[in-house]
């Protein structure tokens, strides 16, 4: 399925899953999070020091408690490089 365009100013709580310089990798991860794990994933473009990074996030959630409840499900996907660092923001 096609990946949605990057989110603009998403409001609410989210879980950052990854940050990559490859938009292709970000899109692939979003597709898997949505189709295999039914998680609301999106990407966000970030310009830093002349480089572009693509943040992959799950959310938004209305409350921090809702986001925290989703953290174990995100960890279970095994798509996260450092699952210990996952937290709702």
């Amino acid at each position: 399925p096609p990946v949605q365009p990057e989110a603009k100013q998403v409001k609410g709580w989210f879980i950052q899953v990854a940050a990559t310089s490859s938009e292709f990798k970000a899109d692939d991860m979003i597709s898997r999070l949505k189709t295999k794990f039914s998680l609301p994933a999106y990407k966000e473009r970030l310009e830093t020091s002349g480089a572009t990074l693509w943040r992959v996030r799950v959310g938004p959630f209305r409350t921090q408690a809702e986001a925290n409840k989703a953290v174990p499900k995100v960890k279970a996907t095994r798509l996260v490089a450092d699952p210990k660092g996952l937290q709702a923001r």
Side-chain angles (χ1 to χ4, degrees):
V3 174
Q4 295 293 330
E6 65 192 84
K8 302 284 187 207
Q9 302 257 327
V10 175
K11 294 184 180 187
W13 292 86
F14 63 87
I15 302 162
Q16 184 158 321
V17 178
T20 178
S21 60
S22 168
E23 187 175 13
F24 175 81
K25 286 182 183 179
D27 288 342
D28 181 59
M29 185 175 281
I30 290 165
S31 178
R32 288 189 283 161
L33 287 164
K34 286 181 173 184
T35 58
K36 289 185 180 179
F37 303 102
S38 300
L39 289 165
Y42 66 96
K43 67 184 176 187
E44 191 173 82
R45 182 182 180 138
L46 175 68
E47 296 293 331
T48 175
S49 302
T52 301
L53 287 177
W54 296 95
R55 292 177 175 159
V56 176
R57 294 179 166 179
V58 170
F61 300 96
R62 288 181 293 141
T63 66
Q64 184 177 15
E66 287 178 7
N68 284 330
K69 283 176 71 174
V71 168
K73 188 171 182 181
V74 174
K75 286 181 180 180
T77 68
R78 299 187 183 260
L79 294 175
V80 182
D82 180 18
K84 293 179 201 155
L86 280 183
Q87 63 182 0
R89 300 178 193 191

